[in-house]
Amino acid sequence: MKQIQGYQMPKDFLWGGAVAAHQLEGAWQADGKGVSIADVMTGGNKEQARQVTKTVEKGKVYPNHWGIDFYHQYPQDIKLFAEMGLNCFRTSIAWTRIFPNGDESEPNEAGLKFYENLFDECLKNGIQPVITLSHFEMPYHLVKEYGGWRNREVIDFFTRFAEVCFKRFHNQVKYWMTFNEINNQTSWADPHHLLQNSGLILNDDENLEEAMFQAAHNEFIASAKAVKIAHEIDNNLQVGAMVAMSPIYPMTAKPADILEAQRAMQTRYYYGDVQALGEYPAWLIKYWDRHDYHIEISDLDRQILREGTVDYMGFSYYMSFATKDNGDEELHFNENTDLVDNPYLEKSDWGWQIDAKGLRYGMNWMNDRWHKPQFIVENGFGAYDKLTDDGKIHDDYRIKYFHDHILEMEKAVAEDGIDLIGYTPWGHIDLISASTGEMKKRYGMIYVDQDDEGNGSLKRLKKDSFYWYQQVIASRGENLNF
Ligand code: BG6
């Protein structure tokens, strides 16, 4: 066993786990729930992307329809979370349980009741819920009938949903986030990201990048309005942004590589500039001009953005990227073509570069730029797990990943002075992968007995990492031995 002394985190630090409704609840049609984007995405794998079908088609596999049946099994699952020592639990509210089509004027009471009961159960077990409003699960009706987030009408539908949730749950939930990984749509050439983030299915004559900028703008407005509404309802509520932080390093010290990496960071994180600082950066406005992009932004919009800046920056951290000069005359970054492998880093079986120090780097970078409290709301390691004959899962690779990342997080707090609200590792209970739809890409510290086709007993088993994280939490981050 290695003796590793970490830093003790403050008493009120939130130690949790994170999931999203569509990846674990299942029960996709229960109690009046409508069809979400995730419900029309088939299963895929590393080689084969998930397909989006026009309707739910017979004979196809839709893993989000069953998730891990959390909808029915949550009371036992929450007991396990409490046993692990969690004092918070990040999940999302499935928009389609509250507004099945998204454009109704009245919410679905059965959906609200489900979350009220779930949050009660958490609180009874000493766990405070942390809630994302939109986590890759917008009503599919809004995609088909309104064109997703390119349409400004969706802003009102979202703020109505947000307001209903804040009013109903403000006594149970303090920490909220508006849009999960809002900046992942920077991979706009990948249709999967455009759909998951913004409900965009592209028309033939449309410029993908311009459509993405418009959709993102409409989400910024919706988010800023939601922040204001939340504070009016209850001044105690904290509403955050949520970005996927994957720092992009320059491949070498060649000045052109450095400039390219800087533009890459600007391109991937302008979202944070708008949500934390309340305005668009100058380079981006010039970029739109040069490309003849017409993004509809009114003076009132600018005011809404300034008045609706977020209270904190939530972020996910899984990996870092690297880039180099792409040789183009214009300084620009395309996430789909301009990333290069970093020879200093190893990768997961799904090709994600493992870089614990990148977490500390990213936290410092955000702190220097946005000056907001931070909340690590996702971090984790997707891997193939092996169940032994006696029902054990020896996931030392996952413990190593968490150990290295938690240590860097603690240094960022204790040595760099970053104001960090909490840490909620991703998928602390196995669930459906968002990118591939697989079950076998497992992140959990709790194993769920189910395969990619939905077969299995759904039994929950504690992995070695369960006991390790329990010890970390019990020592408030000091005991990282493994
Ligand atoms: C983030 C998402 O992108 O990473 C989660 O917010 C997702 O929804 C997680 O599950 C891990 O990605 P994946 O594709 O391995 O499930």
Side-chain angles (χ1 to χ4, degrees):
M1 184 189 278
K2 279 200 205 159
Q3 300 291 320
I4 297 135
Q5 180 84 12
Y7 289 92
Q8 198 166 63
M9 293 293 100
K11 271 216 173 76
D12 59 352
F13 190 79
L14 296 179
W15 292 98
V19 300
H22 68 104
Q23 289 171 261
L24 91 167
E25 284 178 4
W28 72 291
Q29 288 179 303
D31 300 325
K33 181 181 171 300
V35 177
S36 83
I37 290 172
D39 294 322
V40 289
M41 288 179 79
T42 66
N45 54 47
K46 276 200 274 200
E47 284 80 35
Q48 204 181 350
R50 304 183 75 173
Q51 313 272 300
V52 178
T53 54
K54 286 207 165 70
T55 55
V56 172
E57 292 175 15
K58 269 219 169 95
K60 295 222 155 103
V61 173
Y62 296 96
N64 299 75
H65 288 188
W66 52 77
I68 56 162
D69 195 35
F70 183 76
Y71 193 79
H72 299 108
Q73 310 213 13
Y74 74 82
Q76 296 93 291
D77 287 340
I78 288 180
K79 281 201 177 63
L80 274 175
F81 302 167
E83 188 186 331
M84 232 195 297
L86 308 197
N87 60 12
C88 82
F89 169 54
R90 172 182 179 232
T91 187
S92 58
I93 293 180
W95 191 343
T96 48
R97 290 203 192 280
I98 312 303
F99 289 99
N101 280 329
D103 58 357
E104 297 88 345
S105 49
E106 293 304 319
N108 171 31
E109 176 54 31
L112 289 167
K113 195 75 202 145
F114 167 71
Y115 289 105
E116 193 172 279
N117 293 342
L118 169 65
F119 300 159
D120 263 350
E121 195 67 27
C122 289
L123 293 165
K124 258 192 346 215
N125 282 278
I127 296 175
Q128 66 164 293
V130 171
I131 296 303
T132 316
L133 285 165
S134 181
H135 190 134
F136 303 165
E137 55 206 354
M138 81 186 290
Y140 195 41
H141 177 78
L142 297 183
V143 175
K144 288 190 299 186
E145 298 303 318
Y146 295 86
W149 276 100
R150 66 163 74 68
N151 186 333
R152 284 189 75 108
E153 274 186 85
V154 176
I155 297 175
D156 291 340
F157 301 144
F158 177 82
T159 50
R160 185 179 307 156
F161 164 55
E163 183 168 355
V164 165
C165 292
F166 296 143
K167 278 198 174 137
R168 179 73 168 241
F169 304 123
H170 70 106
N171 289 323
Q172 295 174 298
V173 181
K174 174 178 175 184
Y175 289 103
W176 298 81
M177 277 161 277
T178 49
F179 293 95
N180 184 63
E181 292 189 336
I182 190 166
N183 62 325
N184 265 357
Q185 54 194 306
T186 298
S187 312
W188 44 265
D190 173 356
H192 177 84
H193 281 295
L194 276 187
L195 182 79
Q196 264 193 344
N197 278 87
S198 298
L200 295 191
I201 294 176
L202 268 296
N203 306 321
D204 289 344
D205 56 345
E206 216 171 6
N207 179 307
L208 271 81
E209 196 182 26
E210 186 177 22
M212 182 277 287
F213 281 126
Q214 185 65 63
H217 176 71
N218 295 342
E219 286 165 64
F220 294 144
I221 296 298
S223 175
K225 285 185 160 184
V227 171
K228 237 182 144 186
I229 294 169
H231 292 163
E232 279 160 13
I233 291 171
D234 184 341
N235 212 18
N236 190 38
L237 299 188
Q238 295 286 293
V239 186
M242 198 304 204
V243 296
M245 169 46 67
S246 305
I248 309 170
Y249 305 140
M251 190 57 185
T252 71
K254 187 174 130 193
D257 286 356
I258 307 276
L259 258 185
E260 180 64 23
Q262 184 179 53
R263 178 49 45 95
M265 289 297 275
Q266 288 171 326
T267 306
R268 214 180 138 73
Y269 298 105
Y270 86 86
Y271 302 80
D273 298 343
V274 179
Q275 293 190 284
L277 307 175
E279 53 184 41
Y280 280 96
W283 72 267
L284 185 56
I285 293 163
K286 291 285 186 194
Y287 182 86
W288 290 341
D289 286 351
R290 269 200 313 283
H291 287 257
D292 206 22
Y293 289 169
H294 298 280
I295 314 300
E296 262 179 68
I297 305 178
S298 66
D299 285 343
L300 180 61
D301 284 357
R302 283 182 242 279
Q303 186 187 333
I304 291 170
L305 294 179
R306 278 194 301 274
E307 290 174 1
T309 55
V310 290
D311 298 312
Y312 67 94
M313 293 304 295
F315 68 97
S316 62
Y317 181 83
Y318 292 92
M319 61 192 140
S320 64
F321 296 139
T323 190
K324 64 183 176 58
D325 173 26
N326 57 19
D328 289 355
E329 227 163 83
E330 189 202 16
L331 184 60
H332 76 103
F333 170 73
N334 180 332
E335 191 161 319
N336 303 290
T337 51
D338 295 336
L339 291 177
V340 293
D341 278 351
N342 184 334
Y344 300 103
L345 299 176
E346 289 185 358
K347 291 180 180 171
S348 77
D349 286 329
W350 279 262
W352 292 20
Q353 294 184 144
I354 304 164
D355 176 16
K357 288 194 189 317
L359 173 59
R360 184 175 178 185
Y361 174 82
M363 290 172 77
N364 274 278
W365 187 89
M366 288 188 281
N367 200 43
D368 291 348
R369 197 176 178 95
W370 297 325
H371 316 290
K372 295 274 177 189
Q374 296 178 13
F375 198 160
I376 304 176
V377 294
E378 288 185 31
N379 172 232
F381 189 58
Y384 298 108
D385 286 338
K386 208 169 152 260
L387 183 62
T388 61
D389 291 342
D390 56 350
K392 303 264 188 299
I393 303 97
H394 302 302
D395 56 343
D396 46 319
Y397 37 88
R398 185 170 292 109
I399 295 176
K400 165 100 178 79
Y401 179 98
F402 280 128
H403 161 271
D404 293 354
H405 286 75
I406 290 178
L407 190 58
E408 293 302 323
M409 164 186 95
E410 293 181 355
K411 288 182 192 164
V413 173
E415 296 181 15
D416 305 335
I418 287 170
D419 181 2
L420 187 66
I421 298 166
Y423 175 73
T424 60
W426 176 255
H428 61 296
I429 182 165
D430 289 344
L431 38 60
I432 308 294
S433 156
S435 57
T436 68
E438 292 167 295
M439 188 69 205
K440 64 174 171 287
K441 187 180 187 188
R442 294 175 185 273
Y443 285 85
M445 304 177 195
I446 299 169
Y447 186 88
V448 177
D449 177 32
Q450 180 175 247
D451 68 14
D452 290 346
E453 277 72 44
N455 307 306
S457 66
L458 284 174
K459 215 167 145 194
R460 276 59 165 156
L461 297 166
K462 297 170 201 168
K463 303 184 193 178
D464 288 357
S465 54
F466 179 100
Y467 300 102
W468 181 81
Y469 191 45
Q470 189 180 47
Q471 147 210 312
V472 173
I473 299 176
S475 66
R476 291 191 4 227
E478 216 173 3
N479 182 354
L480 300 179
N481 294 343
F482 67 100

